[in-house]
Amino acid sequence: MNEKEILTNISERLGIKTLKPMQLEIAASQSDLIRLAAPTGSGKTIAFVINLLKYIAPQGKGVQSVIIAPSRELVLQIAAVVKAAASGYKVVAFYGGHKMEDEKKSLNPLPDIIVATPGRLLDHINRGFLSLASAKSLVLDEYDKCVELGFEVDMKRIVRKMTSLRRIILTSATIASQLPEYLPQAGWQQLDFSNGLDIKLQKVHVESPAPDKAQTLIDLLCAMPQKKSMIFVNHRESADRLYNFLKKAHIPAVLYHGGLEQHDRQMAVNLFENGTVNLLVATDLAARGLDIDGVDSVIHYHLPPTAENWVHRNGRTARNGAEGTVYIITSDADSIPEYVEWDRDYNPPLTDKCDLSSGISTIHFSAGRKEKISKGDIVGFLIANAGLRSEEIGKINVFDHEAIAAVPSSRLKEILSNVEGQKLKNKKIKITAVRP
């Protein structure tokens, strides 16, 4: 693709008018082997997408490029950027929890670019649905995490199927010491921006008087501005326990960890992203791959087990030039690693309870893009039937067979009453409230 066309698409469709120096340098690289390290939120997805598309052939020649990421959420976010930048090219996303039949249908005609998790991509190959023999370029996003999560065997099999592979881009937040053995071991251009970007991040230490930090967390949440915060713990069981504690305290939150169904994880992210809830309780699964704008703070309820976890958790805030705050809650029971550091101490005032509701609710539509429903259809429907003004309608997400929209909580009952029995594009669908 012509670089000017790529940049025009990014400007018009993603609203990114000016590239950062890091993005310009990566986009301009002519190396066939690139190792890129840059903090999460620095814009490296845009950077590698531009570089990838500059070397792609005209569409319709079979699978040309493969982008692999370790999580469903990251696959969806990357695919959205590629689709916006690559006008005229067919881009598909493959991931666990997605209907295999829908993905199989998307292979006819063959896509130009595939964005996928390793396991699901290999599943298509093993079933004989797909050949990667024509693919000339490969991007491994968060490649160190792919290995850490046990994807190495899958990755090795996939790379062996790419018999025409010429260009490889590896990305991560830090430069890993070793390369997987299935990749070339020499000839790489190393672009390390992991410490060279201006990150506006303030780190604040909060001392808990008890080893159980739950009450200290509530005191902190009540003292903070009511903005988006991600609360990190080290285990699924801890996430469940903390989530239930907040629920009993009538503090709205959503839960995110690998033990949940994919649909539940995605819905949690959607409700957090559209402002229905401002708190997300998560394990380190959320430390990578969740590109959510407007996360104002990260809270380390448990200290991160590794320096990499520290870096990736903190990278969820202060993204794309925005300011962010990291809170580290410790007690006498904690042994503080050397990589955990802070700028100042803070003691939140004691509190019994506070109101952390957001004033935003989410409604669910039982139809999506496969039923030919678009965001514009939903906006028009809500204006015509629910009595809403356009400025009262928040973020809309349309999926394969469902959709959600953010609306004012104060008008939720009225909205549901108004739309009951109404048809959307001459289709009778069910519209309900989503309960966090």
Side-chain angles (χ1 to χ4, degrees):
M1 282 184 70
N2 179 279
E3 184 172 354
K4 183 177 180 181
E5 181 185 4
I6 300 168
L7 296 178
T8 298
N9 290 339
I10 289 172
S11 174
E12 293 178 352
R13 299 176 183 180
L14 297 175
I16 299 172
K17 306 298 182 183
T18 305
L19 295 184
K20 302 172 184 178
M22 177 268 288
Q23 293 170 325
L24 290 170
E25 183 171 345
I26 295 157
S29 173
Q30 298 181 24
S31 174
D32 285 337
L33 299 174
I34 300 173
R35 293 178 71 186
L36 164 63
T40 53
S42 59
K44 59 179 179 284
T45 301
I46 292 291
F48 76 67
V49 167
I50 296 172
N51 187 289
L52 183 79
L53 294 178
K54 282 174 61 178
Y55 294 95
I56 199 168
Q59 58 265 40
K61 297 183 180 298
V63 179
Q64 298 192 55
S65 300
V66 175
I67 303 172
I68 295 177
S71 71
R72 161 189 169 148
E73 291 78 13
L74 192 50
V75 163
L76 289 170
Q77 290 162 4
I78 294 171
V81 174
V82 179
K83 288 176 181 178
S87 56
Y89 287 83
K90 183 177 180 181
V91 182
V92 299
F94 294 160
Y95 49 87
H98 197 202
K99 287 186 177 181
M100 178 61 79
E101 189 60 32
D102 286 344
E103 292 186 355
K104 182 182 177 183
K105 290 178 181 176
S106 72
L107 290 169
N108 186 22
L110 281 172
D112 302 290
I113 303 170
I114 296 174
V115 188
T117 53
R120 180 51 71 96
L121 181 60
L122 188 60
D123 197 2
H124 280 282
I125 295 171
N126 290 339
R127 292 178 186 226
F129 298 163
L130 173 66
S131 169
L132 298 182
S134 61
K136 293 180 174 60
S137 59
L138 170 67
V139 177
L140 300 184
D141 196 36
E142 303 285 5
Y143 73 94
D144 51 335
K145 192 66 175 179
C146 285
V147 176
E148 182 183 321
L149 290 176
F151 290 139
E152 190 161 13
V153 173
D154 289 350
M155 292 297 312
K156 186 175 182 179
R157 290 173 178 168
I158 291 168
V159 172
R160 284 178 174 175
K161 298 291 184 181
M162 301 179 72
T163 53
S164 300
L165 183 60
R166 291 207 304 259
R167 304 190 72 250
I168 306 174
I169 302 174
L170 308 180
T171 83
S172 64
T174 55
I175 289 288
S177 57
Q178 280 187 308
L179 285 169
E181 58 88 15
Y182 53 82
L183 295 176
Q185 298 297 301
W188 294 88
Q189 179 186 15
Q190 186 163 296
L191 300 172
D192 189 353
F193 297 92
S194 55
N195 295 313
L197 299 177
D198 181 22
I199 305 299
K200 302 172 184 176
L201 187 66
Q202 184 176 164
K203 304 181 185 75
V204 180
H205 175 234
V206 179
E207 181 69 28
S208 173
D212 184 346
K213 306 171 185 177
Q215 185 56 51
T216 300
L217 174 64
I218 288 182
D219 294 339
L220 175 62
L221 293 174
C222 291
M224 289 166 52
Q226 293 187 30
K227 296 180 180 179
K228 282 188 174 67
S229 298
M230 298 180 71
I231 306 168
F232 282 100
V233 298
N234 289 346
H235 307 286
R236 295 176 184 179
E237 296 78 10
S238 301
D240 290 334
R241 186 165 58 250
L242 184 58
Y243 169 77
N244 288 323
F245 179 86
L246 294 175
K247 187 176 179 181
K248 289 178 181 177
H250 304 289
I251 295 177
V254 287
L255 181 64
Y256 185 96
H257 62 64
L260 301 173
E261 295 291 332
Q262 288 276 14
H263 182 272
D264 293 336
R265 278 164 45 189
Q266 186 62 50
M267 187 59 71
V269 171
N270 295 142
L271 296 180
F272 181 61
E273 193 171 27
N274 73 13
T276 297
V277 294
N278 286 325
L279 302 175
L280 186 145
V281 178
T283 60
D284 281 301
L285 180 65
R288 306 194 194 206
L290 290 186
D291 188 8
I292 300 173
D293 288 332
V295 175
D296 300 279
S297 60
V298 163
I299 300 173
H300 297 275
Y301 185 82
H302 289 156
L303 295 178
T306 69
E308 288 74 21
N309 292 117
W310 169 254
V311 169
H312 286 290
R313 287 183 185 184
N314 294 346
R316 297 305 99 199
T317 188
R319 298 170 71 84
N320 296 317
E323 296 182 357
T325 305
V326 168
Y327 294 94
I328 307 104
I329 304 178
T330 69
S331 75
D332 289 341
D334 288 315
S335 175
I336 301 173
E338 63 179 13
Y339 51 81
V340 173
E341 56 185 15
W342 51 81
D343 304 309
R344 63 182 176 89
D345 293 291
Y346 174 62
N347 294 311
L350 302 178
T351 184
D352 290 328
K353 60 181 181 178
C354 60
D355 181 10
L356 295 178
S357 57
S358 67
I360 297 172
S361 292
T362 294
I363 55 175
H364 178 272
F365 298 78
S366 63
R369 63 171 68 96
K370 297 294 185 181
E371 290 76 35
K372 310 300 182 184
I373 302 298
S374 69
K375 291 183 181 181
D377 295 327
I378 291 174
V379 170
F381 175 83
L382 292 176
I383 291 173
N385 297 284
L388 289 173
R389 301 186 305 275
S390 59
E391 60 268 23
E392 293 180 295
I393 302 170
K395 185 175 178 63
I396 296 172
N397 300 89
V398 181
F399 308 102
D400 282 353
H401 299 289
E402 62 181 334
I404 59 173
V407 297
S409 297
S410 60
R411 301 194 60 188
L412 180 61
K413 290 183 179 179
E414 173 194 352
I415 292 166
L416 293 176
S417 176
N418 288 344
V419 301
E420 186 175 2
Q422 300 291 340
K423 291 183 178 181
L424 176 56
K425 290 189 76 173
N426 295 318
K427 297 179 178 70
K428 189 175 182 180
I429 62 172
K430 190 175 182 180
I431 302 174
T432 56
V434 178
R435 304 295 180 187

